[in-house]
């Protein structure tokens, strides 16, 4: 190998290390700011429940912001997937502050949403700035998008291994080179440690008792996993259904979250509880030790699907955690497995089914709950993945592999709704 070749390799290496540092530090810092701000607005809402009556006006403001901005921004995570599959135009940097502000407004006034979408979109928008600075081609832009997703996910949940794998698996390892794999893990850890540097605390979960795996336990794991997959299917279809309904019945986009906000505020008032709005983290934590009502997960699906379908902003993943954990907890009344294990399996299995990412979700479960739960978590994620239907929460995600083959076969038999 001659000197010029070595020099070229070194320059490329330095370039990508610099890119990873920039994306990791800025995305991690953005997530840290987001997490602090999210906690602040959540506490404001908890201490001033009357503020929920302002949800329609918050929705109107969000709707108007997106109406006057670049129409591509409203696609959210789907825009990142579309640009990966077919790189055309730069992801607008405006996406980052816009989704941050809109998500905070959603949570401040009582919408039911998550946070992963916000962090991933901020990471993607921040990452794509590098495409202009470093004059990257289409193939290199694909790597940038992977890095943005990885950094955003890892930093907002405190799970760097799962974040790196999620970014790779969400696009089904399509057109990925070895460079993208290595850099995805590197940027995930940089973003994760950046959040740690800002002394931001992530929620901790525990599964204290892991029973020995046997045929009886395996039978019940399969039952819980199948139900988790069906819950993921219901969540995905519900969100898309509400989105289509609002688009079809209300032609002026800013009015959709306004009217949706009115309906949400009135509904929250009449049911007399706020436990199904916001992130729902307290309910998730309690699910590991306290048996939930069998309707808790259904109401969270309803509230989140309606909130996001109406045009409010945020993510779907934390609500998916809520749905899975409360479903697993509720099943503890009939399933002879520890409640914490059931909640943990549901937690990641519903997420796996709704995003078609069983590998990342299995790793996430082990990062959050410990390696001891790995066998139970892995089985739950894989089974839920296959039972969750062909369409997940991201419309632009291309589903490939065994699951794609399975559902193509099912559709040929006339079951098109799957």
């Amino acid at each position: 190998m001659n000197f010029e070749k070595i020099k070229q390799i070194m320059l490329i290496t330095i370039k990508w290390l610099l890119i990873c540092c920039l994306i990791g530090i800025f995305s991690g810092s953005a997530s840290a700011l987001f997490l602090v701000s999210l906690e602040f607005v959540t506490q404001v809402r908890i201490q001033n429940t009357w503020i929920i009556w302002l949800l329609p006006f918050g929705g109107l403001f969000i709707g108007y912001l997106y109406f006057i901005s670049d129409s591509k921004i409203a696609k959210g995570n789907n825009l990142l997937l579309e640009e990966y599959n077919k790189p055309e135009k730069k992801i607008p940097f405006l996406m980052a502050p816009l989704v941050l502000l809109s998500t905070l407004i959603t949570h401040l006034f009582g919408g039911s949403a998550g946070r992963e979408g916000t962090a991933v979109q901020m990471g993607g928008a921040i990452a794509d700035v590098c495409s202009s600075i470093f004059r990257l081609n289409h193939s290199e832009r694909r790597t940038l998008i992977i890095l943005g997703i990885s950094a955003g996910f890892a930093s907002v949940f405190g799970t760097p291994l799962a974040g790196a794998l999620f970014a790779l698996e969400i696009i089904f390892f399509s057109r990925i080179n070895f460079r993208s794999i290595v850099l995805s893990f590197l940027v995930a850890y940089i973003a994760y440690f950046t959040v740690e540097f800002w002394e931001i605390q992530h929620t901790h979960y525990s599964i204290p008792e892991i029973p020995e795996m046997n045929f009886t336990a395996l039978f019940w794991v399969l039952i819980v996993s199948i139900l988790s997959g069906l819950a993921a299917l219901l969540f995905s279809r519900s969100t898309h259904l509400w989105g289509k309904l609002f688009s079809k019945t209300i032609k002026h986009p800013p009015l959709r979250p306004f009217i949706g906000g009115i309906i949400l505020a009135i509904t929250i008032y009449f049911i007399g509880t706020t436990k199904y709005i916001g992130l729902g983290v307290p309910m998730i934590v309690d699910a590991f030790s306290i048996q939930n009502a069998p309707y808790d997960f259904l109401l969270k699906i309803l509230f989140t699907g309606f909130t996001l379908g109406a045009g409010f902003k945020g993510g779907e993943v934390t609500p998916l955690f809520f749905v899975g954990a409360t479903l697993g907890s509720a099943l503890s009344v009939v399933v002879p497995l520890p409640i914490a294990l059931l909640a943990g399996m549901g937690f990641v299995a519903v997420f796996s089914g709704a995003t078609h990412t069983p590998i990342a979700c299995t790793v996430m479960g082990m990062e959050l709950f410990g390696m001891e739960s790995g066998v139970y978590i892995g089985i739950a994620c894989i089974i839920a993945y296959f039972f969750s239907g062909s369409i997940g929460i991201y419309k632009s995600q291309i589903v490939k592999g065994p699951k794609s083959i399975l559902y193509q076969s099912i559709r040929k038999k006339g079951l098109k709704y799957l």
Side-chain angles (χ1 to χ4, degrees):
M1 186 180 292
N2 58 39
F3 177 75
E4 286 300 321
K5 186 68 173 179
I6 294 174
K7 180 181 176 181
Q8 183 181 10
I9 293 173
M10 290 182 64
L11 288 174
I12 292 173
T13 302
I14 292 171
K15 178 183 76 173
W16 282 105
L17 286 176
L18 179 58
I19 289 173
C20 282
C21 287
L22 289 172
I23 294 173
I25 292 171
F26 281 103
S27 294
S29 297
S31 290
L33 172 64
F34 172 52
L35 291 172
V36 170
S37 303
L38 187 56
E39 177 63 21
F40 174 76
V41 299
T42 300
Q43 291 304 316
V44 170
R45 189 194 68 238
I46 291 172
Q47 296 168 19
N48 303 274
T49 53
W50 61 266
I51 205 171
I52 294 172
W53 290 109
L54 299 179
L55 185 59
F57 301 101
L60 183 64
F61 181 68
I62 292 172
Y64 186 72
L65 279 180
Y66 277 83
F67 182 67
I68 63 174
S69 65
D70 189 329
S71 60
K72 294 197 305 178
I73 295 177
K75 294 181 179 180
N77 288 359
N78 288 302
L79 175 61
L80 302 182
L81 296 176
E82 288 175 10
E83 282 299 314
Y84 180 86
N85 292 316
K86 190 177 180 181
E88 292 180 351
K89 296 181 180 180
K90 183 180 174 183
I91 296 169
F93 181 74
L94 181 62
M95 172 183 275
L98 203 58
V99 73
L100 172 62
L101 176 60
S102 299
T103 303
L104 293 177
I105 291 173
T106 297
H107 283 276
L108 173 64
F109 295 120
S112 175
R115 54 191 173 183
E116 126 284 340
T118 306
V120 167
Q121 289 171 50
M122 289 194 298
I126 290 170
D128 214 22
V129 171
C130 294
S131 64
S132 298
I133 297 174
F134 294 92
R135 299 180 181 178
L136 305 182
N137 58 35
H138 285 341
S139 175
E140 292 172 321
R141 275 199 67 222
R142 288 194 176 97
T143 299
L144 276 186
I145 292 171
I146 290 173
L147 299 187
I149 295 173
S150 175
F153 192 98
S155 58
V156 81
F157 290 122
T159 53
L161 287 175
L165 286 169
F166 179 80
L168 299 169
E169 194 175 10
I170 196 89
I171 43 89
F172 198 77
F173 305 97
S174 176
R175 286 171 286 193
I176 289 179
N177 50 38
F178 181 73
R179 176 188 65 201
S180 298
I181 297 173
V182 173
L183 296 180
S184 181
F185 282 91
L186 176 60
V187 78
Y189 272 96
I190 293 174
Y192 167 74
F193 284 118
T194 298
V195 173
E196 292 288 297
F197 171 80
W198 291 115
E199 299 183 351
I200 305 299
Q201 298 297 317
H202 294 285
T203 306
H204 295 283
Y205 305 94
S206 174
I207 301 179
E209 181 184 357
I210 308 293
E212 183 180 351
M213 177 62 76
N214 52 42
F215 286 111
T216 302
L218 178 60
F219 169 78
W220 288 112
V221 169
L222 294 177
I223 297 298
V224 173
S225 304
I226 292 170
L227 292 175
S228 296
L230 295 176
L233 185 152
L234 180 60
F235 185 101
S236 300
R237 294 306 172 94
S238 172
T239 303
H240 298 325
L241 175 65
W242 287 116
K244 289 179 181 177
L245 184 61
F246 272 97
S247 298
K248 186 177 180 180
T249 56
I250 305 172
K251 299 302 180 183
H252 190 50
L255 289 179
R256 294 168 193 163
F258 176 72
I259 295 173
I262 293 174
I263 297 172
L264 278 171
I266 293 173
T267 303
I268 294 166
Y269 173 77
F270 277 107
I271 67 171
T273 180
T274 58
K275 64 182 183 180
Y276 303 114
I277 64 176
L279 291 173
V281 171
M283 284 279 289
I284 299 173
V285 173
D286 289 344
F288 282 75
S289 57
I290 301 172
Q291 183 184 313
N292 280 95
Y295 53 79
D296 282 336
F297 81 98
L298 289 171
L299 286 176
K300 188 61 174 178
I301 290 175
L302 176 62
F303 272 85
T304 304
F306 190 89
T307 298
L308 298 177
F312 288 91
K313 300 302 174 182
E316 297 94 346
V317 172
T318 305
L320 286 169
F321 294 162
F322 183 114
V323 170
T326 54
L327 171 61
S329 176
L331 289 172
S332 65
V333 71
V334 293
V335 178
L337 291 174
I339 187 172
L341 178 60
L342 291 171
M345 285 193 297
F347 184 108
V348 288
V350 174
F351 176 31
S352 169
T355 58
H356 311 301
T357 56
I359 299 173
C361 292
T362 299
V363 172
M364 183 180 207
M366 290 189 286
E367 283 188 286
L368 291 174
F369 312 131
M371 296 292 292
E372 300 82 2
S373 62
V375 174
Y376 285 91
I377 294 297
I379 294 173
C381 288
I382 293 171
I383 299 299
Y385 163 72
F386 280 107
F387 277 85
S388 60
S390 59
I391 299 174
I393 55 176
Y394 307 127
K395 291 181 180 179
S396 297
Q397 184 181 13
I398 298 175
V399 182
K400 298 181 180 179
K403 184 170 186 175
S404 175
I405 297 171
L406 171 65
Y407 280 95
Q408 284 177 10
S409 174
I410 291 174
R411 282 193 290 271
K412 287 178 181 179
K413 296 179 181 180
L415 299 176
K416 296 181 179 180
Y417 63 93
L418 293 174

